[in-house]
Amino acid sequence: MIKKKKGNHRFYRSVDIAVSIAVGLVLSILVAYIWQLYSKDIREARSNKMEVTGQFISDQFQHVIEDNTQLLNNLKQRIEVTDGDYLKYWKFDAQLMISQNPSFQLVEWIDSNMVIRDVEPVEGNEAVIDLDISNIPYRRDAWIKSSLDSSINVTKWANLTQGGNSFLVDAPVYYDGTFQGTITAGMVFNNHFDAVMAGREEYSLVLYDDKGTLFYSVGDTNLFPQAENFIFESKVPVKLGADQLWTLKLKPTKSFFGFNTWFESNLGFILGLIIALMMGITLFLLLQSSREKRRVSHINRELKKLNSALSKEKHRAEEASVAKSEFLSNMSHEIRTPLNAILGFIDILNRKKLEDESMKYLRMMTFSSKNLLALVNDVLEIDRIESGKVELLARDFNPLEEVRLLLDLYEQSFEEKGLNLTLETKVEQGKVALGDSLKFNQVLTNLLRNSFKFTQIGGVKLKYTEEVVGGNLNIKIVLEDTGIGIPAANLDKIFDRFSQVETGYTRKYEGTGLGLAITKKLIDAMGGSISVSSIENQGTEFSVTFVFPLGDSDFGQGAEKEEEAASYLGKEILIAEDNPMNVLVLSKLLEQFGVMADVASDGLEALQKLETKSYDLIFMDLHMPEMDGLEATRKIRDKGLNLPIVALSANITKKSREESKSSGMQDYITKPFTREVILRILSKYLS
Ligand code: ADP
């Protein structure tokens, strides 16, 4: 059996979740670790880059300062080596320096008394001519110091008297053994620095003088958050005798990092984490699906077991059902033979003059036996239908004519019971259909008999409609009665076997409860339909439809006319039958038609009788000891005798009929037979 392991299922689910989370976590840690290693490498590479670039820029700046101060130094030396003669030309040199070198703003001659004697260009600098710089504290001390030790002095980033800013670079001039003054230049290195920084958008730079005053900056100096750790700082020595140190700070800009936000910089890490997470989830789904797969295949295995157990059970049940049906069928079959005898005797007794009391008992016997026969026949019939043994005939017949004949047959009974029986048709002349008229009749008879049985006042109306649709004849028959009706609760059960509204020992209406079951099965077999509606104590309406192919001839149902026992006196008939009861019944019946029959108790004896006497007709039982009816018939035909032979059998199957026919028999009657049947046979073969 398949058990629901809900608790287990939950436990395994939790295990799957735990395993998946653990794997996801381990992967995340791995990602974090790798990311950290990678970030460290990147950081180091960036630091190196900053270091190298910073150092390079610092060196470049230093060269700029050196190259420029060297130019000034050259002028000073030219004055010194010419013992002051070149002083005549210093302004000319100064002009050249200013025009050729954008770092030079101005050049001036300050004499040994610290008075600015001349300046190039004069224009714009008039204010400083004859200016005594000994009054300017930051100028005086450094100037004196440099003039004493002959070093080049570079001031801080100075506010000039004539306006603007620049570094003032003093080059002391000595000749004739004494200090003569200084060639002083106002210098701004921005142009050169700009040239060094050109194309370096990845960096910003600030430059402070010795006193910490910012005098040059380039690029976006707002510090980018990540930049903090990468600032390169160096001291740029201002050489050629000057002992100043400028401070250079190189900072990375956004473009140095190549990204804008924290998210962008950590995108790799974030992606790694997402992948780890997804792998965790995927693992969970995989675990779940493989567990589900195992579970389903387990269920499938169990189902297969169950199925095979079920099919074994089904097989057993089918076998049991077959056995039951066979038993029922055999029983019914066996019952029919003695019943035949009983009915035969009843028939004979009926024709005798009996006292009233006996007649009453006889009537009751007739009633009960007929009921029993009906039941046995119904059981056999339903068994035949259910086991698919019913074969539908396909003969031309006139359905409306069948309906009329049926109503004619019942007319008298209805009259006697004080009931109406009416027919309403929607066709003038009924068409011919191709189908099984016997089954069609059986269906209508069942329904009409029920209506008759369950109606006490009023009557029954049969509405017949037919319509040709394509090559078919569509028939609808509605049977309305004003009888006791069927309770709504029973309506859907009445087509079941042995189902009757009225049950128990006090039943008013006789019946087997098989009629409608047979009716429905027959209709189904013919491809028709049946429905019922009913109101208790008011009446019932059965509605039946059939679709038959159209027949092609007007077929008159020649009903066998019952010829009264005119006289078959003198006719020679042989009864070949081993059952003495049946023999008695049949011979008594024949007596009534004036025939004294001979009897043979088996096939062999029948053959012997034929040796000595010629007969007009033989009733031949099929099952007999020594030699059965089929073989006996074959032997008779072999002898070239053509007399009519009629089979007697309790077997109603088609197979049995065919066997009889092929053995050479002309006709076939089933036990129990009625007087009418025997009469029909006599009139058919002896008239
Ligand atoms: P039965 O042999 O008892 O008539 P059926 O199978 O023919 O068996 O009918 C089953 C039951 O359906 C009947 O016993 C009866 O209760 C109910 N029934 C059938 N036809 C009618 C009818 N026309 N009016 C009332 N009840 C009916």
Side-chain angles (χ1 to χ4, degrees), residues 378 446-447 450-455 481 483-486 494-496 498-502 507 509-519 534 539-542:
D378 281 356
N446 281 353
L447 295 175
N450 276 348
S451 295
F452 176 74
K453 191 162 64 175
F454 295 107
T455 306
D481 67 42
I484 60 169
I486 304 167
I494 54 165
F495 295 108
D496 294 345
F498 301 110
S499 112
Q500 294 174 309
V501 171
E502 211 195 13
R507 290 201 296 129
Y509 306 96
E510 89 269 14
T512 61
L514 284 171
L516 283 180
I518 292 172
T519 303
S534 182
T540 306
E541 182 185 297
F542 282 94

Side-chain angles (χ1 to χ4, degrees), residues 127-179:
V128 295
I129 294 177
D130 294 331
L131 181 75
D132 185 353
I133 63 166
S134 64
N135 298 327
I136 306 168
Y138 82 90
R139 286 294 280 135
R140 195 188 60 207
D141 295 347
W143 192 89
I144 291 171
K145 182 179 169 289
S146 94
S147 60
L148 287 179
D149 61 12
S150 182
S151 64
I152 285 185
N153 170 50
V154 180
T155 62
K156 63 170 190 174
W157 185 243
N159 291 320
L160 300 182
T161 307
Q162 65 275 41
N165 293 83
S166 73
F167 290 103
L168 293 170
V169 184
D170 304 310
V173 179
Y174 287 85
Y175 58 87
D176 294 340
T178 52
F179 171 67

Side-chain angles (χ1 to χ4, degrees), residues 420-648:
N420 308 318
L421 179 59
T422 48
L423 173 68
E424 263 181 26
T425 57
K426 273 218 181 140
V427 270
E428 272 299 300
Q429 177 73 47
K431 287 262 182 286
V432 172
L434 186 65
D436 194 324
S437 59
L438 295 178
K439 301 278 182 279
F440 176 79
N441 259 326
Q442 196 178 343
V443 165
L444 294 186
T445 308
N446 281 353
L447 295 175
L448 189 63
R449 231 197 278 133
N450 276 348
S451 295
F452 176 74
K453 191 162 64 175
F454 295 107
T455 306
Q456 308 307 337
I457 18 171
V460 175
K461 188 192 283 175
L462 193 150
K463 292 187 202 158
Y464 179 93
T465 328
E466 69 176 34
E467 194 188 354
V468 177
V469 179
N472 289 331
L473 188 64
N474 292 2
I475 297 172
K476 185 175 182 191
I477 295 168
V478 177
L479 205 70
E480 274 176 28
D481 67 42
T482 53
I484 60 169
I486 304 167
N490 293 70
L491 266 184
D492 55 343
K493 284 190 227 138
I494 54 165
F495 295 108
D496 294 345
R497 280 197 256 175
F498 301 110
S499 112
Q500 294 174 309
V501 171
E502 211 195 13
T503 50
Y505 295 109
T506 56
R507 290 201 296 129
K508 261 199 284 184
Y509 306 96
E510 89 269 14
T512 61
L514 284 171
L516 283 180
I518 292 172
T519 303
K520 168 119 176 57
K521 282 183 196 298
L522 284 177
I523 291 172
D524 287 347
M526 285 190 276
S529 70
I530 180 165
S531 60
V532 60
S533 64
S534 182
I535 300 174
E536 240 182 315
N537 301 321
Q538 283 192 24
T540 306
E541 182 185 297
F542 282 94
S543 174
V544 191
T545 65
F546 296 98
V547 178
F548 292 114
L550 274 172
D552 56 3
S553 69
D554 273 356
F555 182 82
Q557 279 271 93
E560 302 279 354
K561 261 197 206 153
E562 185 180 300
E563 282 176 31
E564 219 8 89
S567 177
Y568 296 102
L569 212 66
K571 296 288 179 189
E572 296 293 347
I573 293 179
L574 177 63
I575 303 172
E577 161 73 88
D578 62 323
N579 185 321
M581 291 293 183
N582 286 342
V583 172
L584 194 56
V585 171
L586 186 53
S587 47
K588 286 289 171 195
L589 271 176
L590 291 174
E591 260 175 41
Q592 291 172 7
F593 303 119
V595 179
M596 301 302 290
D598 286 352
V599 178
S601 57
D602 59 56
L604 219 52
E605 204 185 325
L607 283 175
Q608 286 163 2
K609 293 237 170 240
L610 274 169
E611 296 281 315
T612 54
K613 192 169 170 183
S614 68
Y615 290 96
D616 298 308
L617 174 72
I618 305 178
F619 284 103
M620 181 82 80
D621 183 24
L622 292 187
H623 300 281
M624 289 183 291
E626 303 295 339
M627 183 187 286
D628 66 23
L630 295 174
E631 201 184 335
T633 308
R634 264 181 240 119
K635 290 227 151 66
I636 293 168
R637 296 302 180 217
D638 286 349
K639 287 185 175 174
L641 296 173
N642 289 326
L643 77 161
I645 304 177
V646 177
L648 293 177

Side-chain angles (χ1 to χ4, degrees), residues 6-280:
K6 221 172 181 179
N8 267 0
H9 185 65
R10 240 185 245 153
F11 168 73
Y12 285 126
R13 201 184 151 84
S14 312
V15 169
D16 289 352
I17 292 174
V19 169
S20 310
I21 289 178
V23 169
L25 218 62
V26 168
L27 285 176
S28 303
I29 291 169
L30 203 67
V31 165
Y33 176 68
I34 293 170
W35 182 251
Q36 198 231 342
L37 287 183
Y38 166 76
S39 304
K40 200 174 148 216
D41 282 354
I42 296 265
R43 244 193 336 272
E44 276 172 9
R46 283 181 179 147
S47 290
N48 282 344
K49 191 174 166 188
M50 286 302 295
E51 183 83 27
V52 170
T53 314
Q55 200 53 59
F56 174 77
I57 292 170
S58 173
D59 289 350
Q60 291 298 307
F61 280 15
Q62 202 179 318
H63 287 312
V64 168
I65 300 159
E66 275 174 13
D67 290 351
N68 284 305
T69 47
Q70 187 61 49
L71 287 176
L72 194 67
N73 208 30
N74 289 348
L75 177 58
K76 156 204 149 118
Q77 278 174 0
R78 270 195 287 278
I79 297 169
E80 283 180 344
V81 293
T82 56
D83 285 337
D85 280 355
Y86 202 73
L87 264 177
K88 294 178 217 152
Y89 310 111
W90 78 266
K91 279 195 77 167
F92 180 71
D93 259 28
Q95 248 175 37
L96 278 179
M97 275 192 287
I98 291 166
S99 65
Q100 288 170 1
N101 194 323
S103 297
F104 284 84
Q105 303 280 301
L106 57 95
V107 184
E108 46 192 28
W109 171 246
I110 304 172
D111 69 10
S112 52
N113 296 322
M114 293 178 81
V115 177
I116 299 172
R117 285 297 165 205
D118 202 356
V119 65
E120 179 60 38
V122 177
E123 200 184 322
N125 294 314
E126 294 86 353
V128 295
I129 294 177
D130 294 331
L131 181 75
D132 185 353
I133 63 166
S134 64
N135 298 327
I136 306 168
Y138 82 90
R139 286 294 280 135
R140 195 188 60 207
D141 295 347
W143 192 89
I144 291 171
K145 182 179 169 289
S146 94
S147 60
L148 287 179
D149 61 12
S150 182
S151 64
I152 285 185
N153 170 50
V154 180
T155 62
K156 63 170 190 174
W157 185 243
N159 291 320
L160 300 182
T161 307
Q162 65 275 41
N165 293 83
S166 73
F167 290 103
L168 293 170
V169 184
D170 304 310
V173 179
Y174 287 85
Y175 58 87
D176 294 340
T178 52
F179 171 67
Q180 302 291 334
T182 62
I183 281 290
T184 296
M187 286 191 189
V188 173
F189 304 102
N190 288 17
N191 275 349
H192 285 105
F193 291 168
D194 283 349
V196 173
M197 291 304 290
R200 295 186 195 276
E201 283 79 21
E202 288 181 328
Y203 309 93
S204 70
L205 181 130
V206 287
L207 210 49
Y208 300 90
D209 71 359
D210 211 23
K211 298 279 184 279
T213 306
L214 175 76
F215 68 90
Y216 177 76
S217 80
V218 67
D220 180 9
T221 51
N222 286 330
L223 211 53
F224 188 58
Q226 274 84 351
E228 207 132 12
N229 303 321
F230 296 100
I231 296 172
F232 171 83
E233 185 172 331
S234 80
K235 300 289 178 192
V236 185
V238 183
K239 289 202 178 151
L240 285 175
D243 53 1
Q244 290 215 35
L245 283 176
W246 289 349
T247 302
L248 174 148
K249 282 188 187 170
L250 186 72
K251 303 172 186 177
T253 60
K254 275 182 192 171
S255 58
F256 176 83
F257 294 100
F259 53 77
N260 287 322
T261 58
W262 178 90
F263 179 76
E264 280 176 28
S265 67
N266 291 296
L267 198 60
F269 178 56
I270 292 166
L271 282 179
L273 276 187
I274 290 173
I275 289 170
L277 193 77
M278 277 168 54
M279 282 175 85

